[in-house]
Amino acid sequence: MARTSGPETREKLIRAAEEIFAAQGVHGGQLRDVVALAGQANPSAVQYHFGSREGLVDAVMAGRQLRTNEVLAPLLDAAPDELPALLTTLVTAEASELRTARGRRCLRISAQLSHESGVRTRTPHPTLDGTPYWRLFERIEACLAAPPAALPEPLRLERLDLALTVVGAAMADRARQYLDGVEPLTGEALFLADLVATTSALLRAAQPRSGEDTETSRKDIP
């Protein structure tokens, strides 16, 4: 088995992790399988180069963010502060990962991690901090806070987090179909346009009744 070191070994481990985690799950994939697929003799290679499984996952996501940030940054600079335009920017950047097998695998991985973005607490995950993605999230939230249909902060943060989960899940499923050679129900252009429209409708849904009314209605639930 060939032995390598330094940046070359790190890259091999990252590529192997993309394959294993996409197929078996971020938490289900075995690190020993990653090490073996990367062609490394040292069973502790992941710990040596990344410190932990979490460190390896962060490295995978950092590479994915680097690629999509290159697409997102100029689109975000040109986008007006309007919800459909901002969501189109997000979906377009995410869809750039559908072009390659590597990107498709990373979409399957990132969908498993959408709840770790930090949107709900306004504390960005280290791979998102200071990136065009985080600026995009802030601009989308600002749209939800603007009159005449402004949402209260807790509700808009929950909705934004849910919207990101929906986009991530939809992209991951599309990526799975491409990887498996399955013919999607819709063409890609329609899929992306519908994802923007669906996510926009989710974010713009009318605010529910007051908390007091909601609590009262819960008492009627057996």
Side-chain angles (χ1 to χ4, degrees), residues 50-75:
F50 303 97
S52 64
R53 175 188 296 267
E54 290 73 21
L56 177 57
V57 172
D58 285 349
V60 169
M61 288 297 94
R64 178 251 208 272
Q65 292 293 340
L66 183 63
R67 294 191 301 273
T68 50
N69 280 339
E70 292 180 355
V71 178
L72 178 61
L75 295 175

Side-chain angles (χ1 to χ4, degrees), residues 8 75 82 85 104:
E8 185 179 354
L75 295 175
E82 299 171 356
R104 294 165 188 171

Side-chain angles (χ1 to χ4, degrees), residues 1 13 16 30-47:
M1 184 177 292
L13 289 166
Q30 298 297 310
L31 294 185
R32 62 175 178 269
D33 293 338
V34 173
V35 172
L37 185 59
Q40 300 304 301
N42 183 355
S44 300
V46 169
Q47 285 75 14

Side-chain angles (χ1 to χ4, degrees), residues 9-218:
T9 298
R10 284 179 57 88
E11 183 61 20
K12 286 185 176 181
L13 289 166
I14 288 171
R15 291 294 191 111
E18 291 169 356
E19 293 193 36
I20 297 297
F21 292 160
Q24 301 177 16
V26 170
H27 302 294
Q30 298 297 310
L31 294 185
R32 62 175 178 269
D33 293 338
V34 173
V35 172
L37 185 59
Q40 300 304 301
N42 183 355
S44 300
V46 169
Q47 285 75 14
Y48 178 80
H49 288 280
F50 303 97
S52 64
R53 175 188 296 267
E54 290 73 21
L56 177 57
V57 172
D58 285 349
V60 169
M61 288 297 94
R64 178 251 208 272
Q65 292 293 340
L66 183 63
R67 294 191 301 273
T68 50
N69 280 339
E70 292 180 355
V71 178
L72 178 61
L75 295 175
L76 185 59
D77 289 342
D81 286 319
E82 299 171 356
L83 190 59
L86 293 172
L87 291 174
T88 297
T89 296
L90 171 63
V91 168
T92 300
E94 292 293 279
S96 66
E97 286 287 86
L98 290 172
R99 304 283 75 78
T100 67
R102 183 181 192 183
R104 294 165 188 171
R105 288 192 289 267
C106 285
L107 284 172
R108 297 199 66 187
I109 295 168
S110 60
Q112 303 172 53
L113 306 170
S114 62
H115 63 287
E116 298 181 6
S117 67
V119 163
R120 286 175 179 248
T121 61
R122 300 186 186 280
T123 305
H125 188 277
T127 58
L128 291 172
D129 194 13
T131 66
Y133 269 95
W134 195 257
R135 294 196 297 274
L136 173 60
F137 300 162
E138 290 177 329
R139 289 177 62 181
I140 291 175
E141 189 203 341
C143 289
L144 302 180
L151 297 173
E153 181 180 39
L155 186 57
R156 64 178 183 260
L157 291 177
E158 282 194 339
R159 283 198 187 180
L160 177 54
D161 189 60
L162 177 58
L164 296 178
T165 300
V166 169
V167 170
M171 287 291 179
D173 185 62
R174 192 78 175 194
R176 177 194 59 78
Q177 293 176 68
Y178 287 177
L179 287 168
D180 293 346
V182 175
E183 184 70 24
L185 290 174
T186 59
E188 191 169 298
L190 177 57
F191 163 73
L192 297 177
D194 187 61
L195 184 55
V196 170
T198 301
T199 309
S200 180
L202 184 159
L203 291 171
R204 283 301 193 194
Q207 181 177 341
R209 293 179 298 172
S210 70
E212 180 179 351
D213 290 340
T214 302
E215 289 299 325
T216 299
S217 66
R218 285 176 182 170

